[in-house]
Amino acid sequence: MALPKLEELSRSVAEGPSMATGAVPTRDWMDIPVVFKPGNYAYPAKKDKVEYLNSQKGLSFPNARVWSPEEDDWKLPENWKDIILNGLKERLDKFRSLKIFMDCCVRCGACADKCHFFLGTGDPKNMPVLRAELLRSVYRNDFTWAGKLLGKMAGGREMTVGVLKEWFMYAYQCTECRRCSVFCPYGIDTAEITMMLRELLHLVGVGINWILEPVSNSNRTGNHMGLQPHTFKDNVEFLVDDVERLTGIRPNVTFNRKGAEILFVTPSADVFAEPGLYTAMGYLILFEALGLDYTWSTYASEGGNFGLFTSNEAMKKLNAKMYAEAERLKVRFLVGGECGHMWRVLHQYMDTMNGPADFLEVPRSPITGTVFNHAASTKMVHITEFTADLIRNGKLKLDKSRNSHIKATWHDSCNTARAMGLLDEPRYVLDHVVDWVEMPENTIREQTFCCGSGTGLNTDEIMELRMRAGLPRANAVKHVHDKHGVNMLACVCAIDRATLTSLMNYWNPDVRVCGLSELVGNAIVLDGETREELDDGLRTL
Ligand code: SF4
Ligand code: SF4
């Protein structure tokens, strides 16, 4: 579906009749059915991908088939309703948080206007409180006395095909960013409710391809793109060639090397697509400057974990491969590259799923001696923490003027900011490598706005929805672009680098997107280098 012109979309968001612009709905939300049409849903998962996943040990993805959201008949299993209700019961018993989130919302509305999907679409069902109510209403009806006795009067409603379709629509209009939970006085995490909705939908074979294909690829070859080991290795070596061409220094890289001190794992997008490639060149320059004893792996060739957007089982399985590889290679600890959800999984779920990783050592920087005690359980340090520590201890030779063509601003990626508290380290690094400014206060740090296309929604068929959902972020960037001449949006998330590039191309075409390590790589002065003036840093090719 063609993307509307910018003026048209801006006018529609600001003036179109919606809850966000003051219109009052004339019907009860329960009486408004969802209508699927091209552009408002992501394509269903391909049959062969679902079949493959369902055949894998530890995973369950039943009811593989060809189906379309636009058709009335979704080809659900005959007993689909029992499957859903039993699945909900099982999860209420297993996850105490879910039971609490179902019971404790007081409908205060503090979260209502905090979601970028609501701000961009004006659709009341995109208010976090109402998104959760889509599940809560069924919970009330079937799992509480009030609901069983009073039904709709107690906010309950029966599970129907219409409700299931509504779940599909709105579970995939939430990027699990957790911004709403920052404002909820009870700490209700709507992202976790969305995760449960997606899990329940998978029980009856309802899922999207842009998530299940990467999950399937990661399970099969180790990374989202489905890159074979030799291709992954070749791609890294191409980047080594590029660094040598630009600096005269050829970074030393090894793959699957047993006995290395550190295993480095990063999103495969870093070695596959722009602008991640420049971030990966930044890593190579940094590690070369330090003479770090590290190795890449062609097996654990993906830091990202689309299992987070799918099911707890898939998340656990994909997370485990990094640790299996660390054990096989007998490294001391892991350093992880710039990724968002990889770190959310690590900080919020890894310990209960696969941890603690006691066969590894508590990370200790071999360059500065700093012990990263906060990683005592996961044994994995974020590249930004690692770099900030190096700068603080004076271990890097930096020439900030090499980034003088850049005026940057900082996007706190939802997962690194809200899920792991990586707030000050990137800012400290930025201070030392580039001239930069902050975006407005209520759009940064814990209150950061999502890119609008996370959790596997980075797919072209829903581009208008993505541009709407990303508008609050784009608007804040526009503010610093107009006021301070910002021309670069920096972040530490591979999904963000991809999604923000589309977002900027649409809303702020003068602003490019980069990873933090690209800026670091631009600024590092390597011993013996023959680097000429690079007008565009590592992008000068
Ligand atoms: S802020 Fe929390 S308690 Fe208030 S309506 Fe939203 S989810 Fe419910
Ligand atoms: S987690 Fe993010 S996308 Fe989902 S409802 Fe909350 S604010 Fe919206």
Side-chain angles (χ1 to χ4, degrees), residues 104-111 129 183-186 188:
C104 78
C105 173
V106 292
R107 303 190 195 185
C108 68
C111 62
V129 55
F183 297 89
C184 174
Y186 291 87
I188 293 174

Side-chain angles (χ1 to χ4, degrees), residues 157-287:
R157 68 173 174 167
E158 208 184 313
M159 186 70 214
T160 62
V161 172
V163 170
L164 187 94
K165 291 185 175 184
E166 197 178 45
W167 284 6
F168 179 61
M169 175 75 93
Y170 293 101
Y172 290 95
Q173 289 191 23
C174 166
T175 43
E176 302 177 8
C177 76
R178 304 174 72 232
R179 186 170 196 266
C180 50
S181 69
V182 171
F183 297 89
C184 174
Y186 291 87
I188 293 174
D189 189 346
T190 307
E192 297 226 343
I193 295 173
T194 295
M195 288 161 72
M196 288 298 116
L197 282 171
R198 291 187 183 187
E199 273 204 20
L200 292 170
L201 289 166
H202 282 304
L203 296 179
V204 291
V206 175
I208 70 169
N209 201 60
W210 220 85
I211 294 178
L212 290 195
E213 186 158 343
V215 172
S216 146
N217 287 343
S218 282
N219 192 70
R220 194 167 50 85
T221 67
N223 56 69
H224 293 159
M225 308 305 306
L227 304 178
Q228 300 285 342
H230 56 281
T231 311
F232 184 83
K233 181 170 177 280
D234 282 353
N235 283 15
V236 174
E237 283 173 346
F238 289 142
L239 297 174
V240 168
D241 292 342
D242 286 341
V243 170
E244 184 178 21
R245 205 171 302 129
L246 290 169
T247 66
I249 302 281
R250 186 168 184 82
N252 179 35
V253 290
T254 61
F255 298 89
N256 311 323
R257 179 164 59 87
K258 285 195 175 169
E261 186 169 16
I262 294 166
L263 170 61
F264 179 62
V265 182
T266 200
S268 59
D270 286 355
V271 303
F272 179 78
E274 289 187 28
L277 296 175
Y278 308 115
T279 304
M281 288 162 74
Y283 305 146
L284 291 169
I285 291 174
L286 174 70
F287 298 155

Side-chain angles (χ1 to χ4, degrees), residues 7 12 33 58 65 148 170 248 255 270 307 329 352 378 390 405 437 441 447 483-484 496 508 533 541:
E7 295 71 28
S12 160
R65 71 210 180 284
K148 280 178 186 166
Y170 293 101
F255 298 89
D270 286 355
L329 297 178
T352 30
T378 62
L390 291 166
H405 57 296
V437 290
E441 205 180 337
Q447 295 188 37
K483 195 168 173 191
H484 301 286
D496 280 341
N508 301 307
E533 191 70 26
L541 286 172

Side-chain angles (χ1 to χ4, degrees), residues 34-47:
V34 285
V35 178
F36 290 92
K37 50 188 181 190
N40 76 354
Y41 66 88
Y43 296 149
K46 290 178 191 151
K47 185 167 174 263

